[in-house]
Amino acid sequence: RFLPLNPGPVACALRLGDGLPVVALRGAGAQPVATPGCSISTGLLEFGSVTTGQSASRTLRVRSTGTAPLVLQAQTNCPAFAVILGEGPRTLAPGDSLEVTINFIPTVAGPTECTLAFGPDCPTVVLRGEALTPAVCAVSTTALEFSNVSVGSRASRTVRVRNNGGSPLTLHPATSCA
């Protein structure tokens, strides 16, 4: 094994014992080449289901793991995802890290998958989300007529509520009188 301690040529001999041939050993210690390196806290950011017109954010961390500065520029390849923290060209010194936040802002219903790239020295990250259409409330009637009901008696009427959209519809039924 050759493990140079300094740059430059090294020559020596391997002696195998009395009467045995000597093996010449030669090598050169080279100056280490500084190279950038990159690690990312995750390879997949899941945004789940988001209603069109709404947004969701997720964060990841990029770390410079090499021996040379790491040049980054976070970019997505589709408009539904936007870098909102950590955008623009950046240079990280070896050992430094950067927090990057991505927004998912869907405008069209359906699944979306894109990539987030940082440059040639970093792996890409998959961005995934599902866009839902907003909740659309449809009511069977806008007025209920109870006519005359004797005091102490009761009458019931029904209103049907239907969600014609793709997102959950949250109801909080309440009346304005007793």
mmCIF file of all heavy atoms in Angstrom, residues 140-172:
data_model
loop_
_atom_site.group_PDB
_atom_site.id
_atom_site.type_symbol
_atom_site.label_atom_id
_atom_site.label_comp_id
_atom_site.label_asym_id
_atom_site.label_seq_id
_atom_site.Cartn_x
_atom_site.Cartn_y
_atom_site.Cartn_z
ATOM 1 N N SER A 140 -80.363 22.403 -1.545
ATOM 2 C CA SER A 140 -81.611 22.034 -2.230
ATOM 3 C C SER A 140 -82.642 23.148 -2.237
ATOM 4 O O SER A 140 -83.504 23.188 -3.110
ATOM 5 C CB SER A 140 -82.207 20.772 -1.601
ATOM 6 O OG SER A 140 -82.541 21.012 -0.238
ATOM 7 N N THR A 141 -82.558 24.053 -1.274
ATOM 8 C CA THR A 141 -83.497 25.172 -1.233
ATOM 9 C C THR A 141 -82.855 26.332 -0.468
ATOM 10 O O THR A 141 -81.966 26.109 0.352
ATOM 11 C CB THR A 141 -84.832 24.775 -0.558
ATOM 12 O OG1 THR A 141 -85.740 25.873 -0.641
ATOM 13 C CG2 THR A 141 -84.639 24.364 0.880
ATOM 14 N N THR A 142 -83.330 27.519 -0.731
ATOM 15 C CA THR A 142 -82.812 28.672 0.013
ATOM 16 C C THR A 142 -83.841 29.186 1.017
ATOM 17 O O THR A 142 -83.586 30.171 1.711
ATOM 18 C CB THR A 142 -82.422 29.809 -0.943
ATOM 19 O OG1 THR A 142 -83.566 30.181 -1.712
ATOM 20 C CG2 THR A 142 -81.283 29.377 -1.852
ATOM 21 N N ALA A 143 -85.008 28.517 1.111
ATOM 22 C CA ALA A 143 -86.032 28.916 2.088
ATOM 23 C C ALA A 143 -86.837 27.689 2.491
ATOM 24 O O ALA A 143 -87.152 26.841 1.653
ATOM 25 C CB ALA A 143 -86.957 29.969 1.484
ATOM 26 N N LEU A 144 -87.160 27.581 3.782
ATOM 27 C CA LEU A 144 -88.040 26.522 4.293
ATOM 28 C C LEU A 144 -89.272 27.182 4.904
ATOM 29 O O LEU A 144 -89.152 28.075 5.742
ATOM 30 C CB LEU A 144 -87.321 25.683 5.358
ATOM 31 C CG LEU A 144 -86.153 24.826 4.884
ATOM 32 C CD1 LEU A 144 -85.517 24.120 6.071
ATOM 33 C CD2 LEU A 144 -86.611 23.811 3.858
ATOM 34 N N GLU A 145 -90.427 26.733 4.496
ATOM 35 C CA GLU A 145 -91.678 27.287 4.996
ATOM 36 C C GLU A 145 -92.265 26.314 6.011
ATOM 37 O O GLU A 145 -92.468 25.138 5.719
ATOM 38 C CB GLU A 145 -92.667 27.501 3.839
ATOM 39 C CG GLU A 145 -93.981 28.065 4.238
ATOM 40 C CD GLU A 145 -93.863 29.427 4.915
ATOM 41 O OE1 GLU A 145 -93.160 30.313 4.380
ATOM 42 O OE2 GLU A 145 -94.450 29.584 5.990
ATOM 43 N N PHE A 146 -92.508 26.806 7.256
ATOM 44 C CA PHE A 146 -93.071 25.969 8.306
ATOM 45 C C PHE A 146 -94.552 26.270 8.529
ATOM 46 O O PHE A 146 -95.223 25.563 9.253
ATOM 47 C CB PHE A 146 -92.295 26.156 9.614
ATOM 48 C CG PHE A 146 -90.931 25.512 9.577
ATOM 49 C CD1 PHE A 146 -89.833 26.204 9.114
ATOM 50 C CD2 PHE A 146 -90.764 24.201 9.987
ATOM 51 C CE1 PHE A 146 -88.585 25.613 9.072
ATOM 52 C CE2 PHE A 146 -89.513 23.598 9.945
ATOM 53 C CZ PHE A 146 -88.413 24.301 9.491
ATOM 54 N N SER A 147 -95.070 27.349 7.922
ATOM 55 C CA SER A 147 -96.470 27.781 8.111
ATOM 56 C C SER A 147 -96.774 27.930 9.591
ATOM 57 O O SER A 147 -95.896 28.233 10.383
ATOM 58 C CB SER A 147 -97.438 26.807 7.435
ATOM 59 O OG SER A 147 -97.195 26.802 6.042
ATOM 60 N N ASN A 148 -98.024 27.681 9.964
ATOM 61 C CA ASN A 148 -98.443 27.818 11.362
ATOM 62 C C ASN A 148 -98.215 26.504 12.095
ATOM 63 O O ASN A 148 -98.739 25.465 11.702
ATOM 64 C CB ASN A 148 -99.929 28.185 11.451
ATOM 65 C CG ASN A 148 -100.173 29.581 10.922
ATOM 66 O OD1 ASN A 148 -99.320 30.451 11.077
ATOM 67 N ND2 ASN A 148 -101.327 29.789 10.293
ATOM 68 N N VAL A 149 -97.444 26.567 13.175
ATOM 69 C CA VAL A 149 -97.187 25.398 14.008
ATOM 70 C C VAL A 149 -97.639 25.759 15.415
ATOM 71 O O VAL A 149 -97.257 26.809 15.947
ATOM 72 C CB VAL A 149 -95.676 25.017 13.999
ATOM 73 C CG1 VAL A 149 -95.419 23.833 14.918
ATOM 74 C CG2 VAL A 149 -95.213 24.732 12.584
ATOM 75 N N SER A 150 -98.501 24.927 15.987
ATOM 76 C CA SER A 150 -99.025 25.189 17.337
ATOM 77 C C SER A 150 -97.886 25.253 18.335
ATOM 78 O O SER A 150 -96.927 24.480 18.260
ATOM 79 C CB SER A 150 -99.997 24.076 17.773
ATOM 80 O OG SER A 150 -101.095 24.037 16.901
ATOM 81 N N VAL A 151 -98.015 26.185 19.292
ATOM 82 C CA VAL A 151 -97.017 26.333 20.349
ATOM 83 C C VAL A 151 -96.926 25.011 21.097
ATOM 84 O O VAL A 151 -97.928 24.400 21.440
ATOM 85 C CB VAL A 151 -97.411 27.490 21.301
ATOM 86 C CG1 VAL A 151 -96.466 27.552 22.492
ATOM 87 C CG2 VAL A 151 -97.435 28.804 20.552
ATOM 88 N N GLY A 152 -95.682 24.572 21.346
ATOM 89 C CA GLY A 152 -95.447 23.297 22.037
ATOM 90 C C GLY A 152 -95.360 22.117 21.082
ATOM 91 O O GLY A 152 -94.984 21.022 21.484
ATOM 92 N N SER A 153 -95.714 22.325 19.809
ATOM 93 C CA SER A 153 -95.597 21.266 18.804
ATOM 94 C C SER A 153 -94.327 21.504 18.013
ATOM 95 O O SER A 153 -93.645 22.505 18.186
ATOM 96 C CB SER A 153 -96.806 21.294 17.856
ATOM 97 O OG SER A 153 -97.974 21.041 18.579
ATOM 98 N N ARG A 154 -94.043 20.620 17.120
ATOM 99 C CA ARG A 154 -92.868 20.823 16.274
ATOM 100 C C ARG A 154 -93.175 20.408 14.847
ATOM 101 O O ARG A 154 -94.073 19.599 14.596
ATOM 102 C CB ARG A 154 -91.660 20.083 16.822
ATOM 103 C CG ARG A 154 -91.704 18.595 16.609
ATOM 104 C CD ARG A 154 -90.437 17.886 17.007
ATOM 105 N NE ARG A 154 -90.233 17.968 18.432
ATOM 106 C CZ ARG A 154 -89.198 17.501 19.071
ATOM 107 N NH1 ARG A 154 -88.250 16.920 18.405
ATOM 108 N NH2 ARG A 154 -89.083 17.597 20.365
ATOM 109 N N ALA A 155 -92.388 20.964 13.931
ATOM 110 C CA ALA A 155 -92.469 20.603 12.511
ATOM 111 C C ALA A 155 -91.039 20.500 12.009
ATOM 112 O O ALA A 155 -90.138 21.202 12.482
ATOM 113 C CB ALA A 155 -93.232 21.668 11.731
ATOM 114 N N SER A 156 -90.815 19.627 11.089
ATOM 115 C CA SER A 156 -89.464 19.426 10.537
ATOM 116 C C SER A 156 -89.478 19.602 9.031
ATOM 117 O O SER A 156 -90.448 19.252 8.364
ATOM 118 C CB SER A 156 -88.955 18.017 10.856
ATOM 119 O OG SER A 156 -88.849 17.826 12.234
ATOM 120 N N ARG A 157 -88.436 20.147 8.526
ATOM 121 C CA ARG A 157 -88.220 20.280 7.089
ATOM 122 C C ARG A 157 -86.765 19.879 6.829
ATOM 123 O O ARG A 157 -85.917 19.943 7.707
ATOM 124 C CB ARG A 157 -88.456 21.714 6.600
ATOM 125 C CG ARG A 157 -89.827 22.278 6.886
ATOM 126 C CD ARG A 157 -90.899 21.593 6.023
ATOM 127 N NE ARG A 157 -92.199 22.187 6.223
ATOM 128 C CZ ARG A 157 -93.103 21.739 7.081
ATOM 129 N NH1 ARG A 157 -92.841 20.700 7.853
ATOM 130 N NH2 ARG A 157 -94.282 22.318 7.181
ATOM 131 N N THR A 158 -86.465 19.537 5.620
ATOM 132 C CA THR A 158 -85.121 19.055 5.279
ATOM 133 C C THR A 158 -84.475 19.941 4.235
ATOM 134 O O THR A 158 -85.125 20.354 3.274
ATOM 135 C CB THR A 158 -85.195 17.609 4.726
ATOM 136 O OG1 THR A 158 -85.788 16.772 5.720
ATOM 137 C CG2 THR A 158 -83.816 17.083 4.376
ATOM 138 N N VAL A 159 -83.212 20.212 4.459
ATOM 139 C CA VAL A 159 -82.372 20.894 3.472
ATOM 140 C C VAL A 159 -81.276 19.904 3.101
ATOM 141 O O VAL A 159 -80.618 19.339 3.967
ATOM 142 C CB VAL A 159 -81.728 22.168 4.058
ATOM 143 C CG1 VAL A 159 -80.753 22.781 3.071
ATOM 144 C CG2 VAL A 159 -82.785 23.160 4.454
ATOM 145 N N ARG A 160 -81.112 19.670 1.839
ATOM 146 C CA ARG A 160 -80.032 18.792 1.389
ATOM 147 C C ARG A 160 -78.861 19.661 0.939
ATOM 148 O O ARG A 160 -79.024 20.581 0.152
ATOM 149 C CB ARG A 160 -80.493 17.925 0.236
ATOM 150 C CG ARG A 160 -81.590 16.975 0.632
ATOM 151 C CD ARG A 160 -81.587 15.722 -0.220
ATOM 152 N NE ARG A 160 -82.752 14.901 -0.061
ATOM 153 C CZ ARG A 160 -83.111 14.255 1.044
ATOM 154 N NH1 ARG A 160 -82.392 14.369 2.123
ATOM 155 N NH2 ARG A 160 -84.185 13.504 1.090
ATOM 156 N N VAL A 161 -77.682 19.316 1.472
ATOM 157 C CA VAL A 161 -76.457 20.026 1.119
ATOM 158 C C VAL A 161 -75.561 19.037 0.403
ATOM 159 O O VAL A 161 -75.370 17.910 0.859
ATOM 160 C CB VAL A 161 -75.742 20.574 2.375
ATOM 161 C CG1 VAL A 161 -74.461 21.288 1.994
ATOM 162 C CG2 VAL A 161 -76.678 21.497 3.144
ATOM 163 N N ARG A 162 -75.055 19.472 -0.707
ATOM 164 C CA ARG A 162 -74.195 18.599 -1.508
ATOM 165 C C ARG A 162 -72.905 19.353 -1.850
ATOM 166 O O ARG A 162 -72.926 20.539 -2.143
ATOM 167 C CB ARG A 162 -74.924 18.200 -2.785
ATOM 168 C CG ARG A 162 -74.130 17.301 -3.661
ATOM 169 C CD ARG A 162 -74.900 16.962 -4.912
ATOM 170 N NE ARG A 162 -74.032 16.208 -5.785
ATOM 171 C CZ ARG A 162 -74.424 15.228 -6.545
ATOM 172 N NH1 ARG A 162 -75.696 14.910 -6.579
ATOM 173 N NH2 ARG A 162 -73.581 14.596 -7.294
ATOM 174 N N ASN A 163 -71.793 18.638 -1.824
ATOM 175 C CA ASN A 163 -70.505 19.201 -2.224
ATOM 176 C C ASN A 163 -70.248 18.789 -3.670
ATOM 177 O O ASN A 163 -70.005 17.625 -3.956
ATOM 178 C CB ASN A 163 -69.386 18.684 -1.308
ATOM 179 C CG ASN A 163 -68.030 19.257 -1.678
ATOM 180 O OD1 ASN A 163 -67.905 20.067 -2.582
ATOM 181 N ND2 ASN A 163 -67.010 18.819 -0.973
ATOM 182 N N ASN A 164 -70.305 19.753 -4.576
ATOM 183 C CA ASN A 164 -70.059 19.477 -5.989
ATOM 184 C C ASN A 164 -68.603 19.749 -6.380
ATOM 185 O O ASN A 164 -68.271 19.756 -7.555
ATOM 186 C CB ASN A 164 -70.991 20.320 -6.872
ATOM 187 C CG ASN A 164 -72.427 19.849 -6.773
ATOM 188 O OD1 ASN A 164 -72.692 18.683 -6.512
ATOM 189 N ND2 ASN A 164 -73.362 20.764 -6.947
ATOM 190 N N GLY A 165 -67.744 19.982 -5.396
ATOM 191 C CA GLY A 165 -66.325 20.247 -5.663
ATOM 192 C C GLY A 165 -65.466 19.063 -5.300
ATOM 193 O O GLY A 165 -65.959 17.979 -4.997
ATOM 194 N N GLY A 166 -64.164 19.273 -5.323
ATOM 195 C CA GLY A 166 -63.234 18.188 -5.051
ATOM 196 C C GLY A 166 -62.608 18.240 -3.675
ATOM 197 O O GLY A 166 -62.019 17.271 -3.225
ATOM 198 N N SER A 167 -62.706 19.363 -2.978
ATOM 199 C CA SER A 167 -62.142 19.482 -1.637
ATOM 200 C C SER A 167 -63.235 19.261 -0.611
ATOM 201 O O SER A 167 -64.410 19.442 -0.905
ATOM 202 C CB SER A 167 -61.543 20.870 -1.430
ATOM 203 O OG SER A 167 -60.447 21.057 -2.284
ATOM 204 N N PRO A 168 -62.864 18.893 0.611
ATOM 205 C CA PRO A 168 -63.883 18.716 1.647
ATOM 206 C C PRO A 168 -64.647 20.013 1.907
ATOM 207 O O PRO A 168 -64.080 21.101 1.871
ATOM 208 C CB PRO A 168 -63.069 18.315 2.885
ATOM 209 C CG PRO A 168 -61.791 17.770 2.350
ATOM 210 C CD PRO A 168 -61.531 18.533 1.088
ATOM 211 N N LEU A 169 -65.913 19.871 2.169
ATOM 212 C CA LEU A 169 -66.791 20.988 2.512
ATOM 213 C C LEU A 169 -67.092 20.884 4.002
ATOM 214 O O LEU A 169 -67.628 19.886 4.464
ATOM 215 C CB LEU A 169 -68.094 20.924 1.702
ATOM 216 C CG LEU A 169 -69.149 21.975 2.012
ATOM 217 C CD1 LEU A 169 -68.646 23.366 1.662
ATOM 218 C CD2 LEU A 169 -70.422 21.668 1.221
ATOM 219 N N THR A 170 -66.737 21.884 4.746
ATOM 220 C CA THR A 170 -66.954 21.884 6.178
ATOM 221 C C THR A 170 -68.211 22.681 6.500
ATOM 222 O O THR A 170 -68.320 23.836 6.088
ATOM 223 C CB THR A 170 -65.744 22.484 6.922
ATOM 224 O OG1 THR A 170 -64.579 21.741 6.554
ATOM 225 C CG2 THR A 170 -65.935 22.427 8.419
ATOM 226 N N LEU A 171 -69.137 22.070 7.206
ATOM 227 C CA LEU A 171 -70.402 22.732 7.567
ATOM 228 C C LEU A 171 -70.428 22.968 9.061
ATOM 229 O O LEU A 171 -69.932 22.159 9.845
ATOM 230 C CB LEU A 171 -71.597 21.856 7.197
ATOM 231 C CG LEU A 171 -71.738 21.504 5.708
ATOM 232 C CD1 LEU A 171 -72.883 20.527 5.523
ATOM 233 C CD2 LEU A 171 -71.957 22.751 4.897
ATOM 234 N N HIS A 172 -71.037 24.083 9.470
ATOM 235 C CA HIS A 172 -71.285 24.404 10.868
ATOM 236 C C HIS A 172 -72.746 24.889 10.983
ATOM 237 O O HIS A 172 -72.986 26.083 11.117
ATOM 238 C CB HIS A 172 -70.328 25.488 11.360
ATOM 239 C CG HIS A 172 -68.902 25.109 11.268
ATOM 240 N ND1 HIS A 172 -68.304 24.255 12.166
ATOM 241 C CD2 HIS A 172 -67.946 25.413 10.358
ATOM 242 C CE1 HIS A 172 -67.041 24.083 11.826
ATOM 243 N NE2 HIS A 172 -66.809 24.769 10.735
#
